[in-house]
Amino acid sequence: MSRRFTQILKCGAAALTLTGPAVATAQTAGTQTNAVPALRLPANYFPRFGDTEVVAGLDGGVSFGVRAFPLPFKQDVRLVLARHPQYWEYGVSTRINDTSLVVGVFDNGLGAAAGIPRLEITYNPYRGLQYSGLLQGNGAYSRFAGGYAFTVFQDRVRVVNNAGVAFQGDVAATYTQTEVGAGYGKMFGKINTSFGVNARLYTFPIQREAQGSLDVSLNANTALAPGLTLVASHFERLVAGHVAIPALNHGRSQETNASLTYRLPMGATPPAFTVGALRTRVTRVWTGNVTTVYGDLLLRAEALPSLFGPSIGYQWAADGTGKWLFSLTFMGK
């Protein structure tokens, strides 16, 4: 497995607007006082960093860059720019009301000779008409589809029905897609829990093939003590059947994650630079028999919107081998 480390940049800073103060400079008689132009960022700019990914690869060639980096525009536009051993990954994406737009060349794995060109337009409001078009190169699948979504049980359950045509390799096939999703959350004392389920069915009438899958997720978090937080989650995917387009074939999946975070107390006027938090994380991929443990040291700089610091981990593979993992990690203040 390649040492490709991706860490999610969690920026939980409050929405900010940065403005430069007007600066008056004393001049000799007959000169005017000039104000320095203000630097203005969108009010919700820094919280957008919550989805940003820092890419760093240390073997099989050097990889580095960012994904989902927010550009400082009123419209939320995200940039992808990453260097892989043999190709560049670059592109932009945005969502305008209920329409998502994506264009660029995207990740195709560490050892690939070229990225995957992609152009995608998706219109998918929570209810009502749905349509999407996806064009991709280098062997990735493409599709054109349309349908309708509706909700029941006071919007707690969403049902989507689509029909379309998909292409991959030498295969071109019409298909239908039906998805039913629901979620529920509840507090049990100090423990906050949530449950989600998504049932999915693809049918390919001409090939007489179908695949059904069921995703189930469980999440819980609680404060064990002041500053000490435990977060745990489990994901299961059950699959039956097979369809003609390889990219639409889902596989069995089973994964458990847990993290324990201690945030050091900060006074009313915290220092400009100090240790902000200590965190340990454990991931167990049951279907691949892979276990990974991380230890994170998160530093706090008053001038930055997030905590950051080194992460050291160790991964045990299914064949009994292991490797050390070194990366940079982030967490919201």
Side-chain angles (χ1 to χ4, degrees):
M1 299 176 73
S2 118
R3 263 188 206 174
R4 189 184 202 166
F5 312 115
T6 337
Q7 293 297 329
I8 306 301
L9 179 64
K10 304 277 187 185
C11 294
L16 300 176
T17 301
L18 297 185
T19 59
V23 178
T25 304
Q27 304 288 340
T28 58
T31 61
Q32 287 186 324
T33 299
N34 296 321
V36 175
L39 170 63
R40 296 185 183 276
L41 295 174
N44 62 345
Y45 180 65
F46 282 114
R48 297 176 187 177
F49 279 90
D51 298 325
T52 300
E53 221 176 285
V54 177
V55 179
L58 300 181
D59 65 19
V62 176
S63 292
F64 58 90
V66 293
R67 296 191 183 108
F69 185 87
L71 297 179
F73 305 141
K74 182 178 180 180
Q75 174 62 38
D76 188 359
V77 179
R78 302 302 180 99
L79 173 70
V80 172
L81 183 62
R83 176 62 181 169
H84 299 285
Q86 300 185 68
Y87 67 94
W88 281 93
E89 179 184 352
Y90 55 90
V92 292
S93 62
T94 189
R95 185 167 178 86
I96 304 172
N97 296 325
D98 295 318
T99 304
S100 298
L101 306 169
V102 181
V103 62
V105 176
F106 294 92
D107 186 22
N108 195 20
L110 190 64
I116 298 176
R118 179 180 175 190
L119 173 63
E120 182 176 10
I121 301 175
T122 300
Y123 177 75
N124 58 346
Y126 195 65
R127 293 183 296 271
L129 180 68
Q130 317 273 304
Y131 61 81
S132 65
L134 171 65
L135 290 174
Q136 297 189 112
N138 285 346
Y141 96 109
S142 300
R143 71 163 189 276
F144 298 94
Y148 195 83
F150 63 93
T151 61
V152 294
F153 300 112
Q154 298 179 332
D155 292 343
R156 293 192 179 96
V157 178
R158 182 173 184 257
V159 182
V160 180
N161 290 291
N162 284 320
V165 57
F167 310 86
Q168 188 167 15
D170 297 329
V171 179
T174 57
Y175 72 96
T176 68
Q177 170 197 6
T178 298
E179 291 196 25
V180 180
Y184 180 74
K186 185 176 178 60
M187 288 287 295
F188 294 94
K190 294 183 179 181
I191 303 175
N192 183 29
T193 66
S194 63
F195 168 80
V197 62
N198 191 74
R200 184 185 303 105
L201 175 66
Y202 285 106
T203 67
F204 284 71
I206 295 177
Q207 287 79 12
R208 297 182 180 179
E209 295 178 341
Q211 185 191 70
S213 60
L214 177 67
D215 296 349
V216 178
S217 61
L218 300 170
N219 302 274
N221 63 79
T222 186
L224 302 177
L228 186 63
T229 304
L230 175 66
V231 178
S233 66
H234 183 74
F235 174 81
E236 292 268 357
R237 173 176 288 162
L238 305 174
V239 178
H242 180 275
V243 294
I245 300 296
L248 297 181
N249 278 304
H250 295 282
R252 174 81 167 97
S253 183
Q254 189 179 36
E255 181 175 325
T256 302
N257 291 273
S259 69
L260 184 66
T261 303
Y262 177 66
R263 291 179 178 267
L264 277 70
M266 295 292 161
T269 56
F273 186 78
T274 186
V275 175
L278 302 172
R279 179 174 65 185
T280 183
R281 295 175 287 137
V282 179
T283 296
R284 172 66 177 176
V285 181
W286 302 95
T287 43
N289 195 23
V290 176
T291 302
T292 309
V293 178
Y294 298 93
D296 305 333
L297 173 64
L298 294 147
L299 305 174
R300 188 185 194 280
E302 189 65 22
L304 297 178
S306 67
L307 305 181
F308 69 97
S311 176
I312 301 176
Y314 194 82
Q315 186 177 83
W316 291 267
D319 60 3
T321 61
K323 62 180 179 181
W324 290 97
L325 307 174
F326 303 92
S327 60
L328 187 65
T329 189
F330 299 83
M331 186 174 72
K333 278 185 175 178

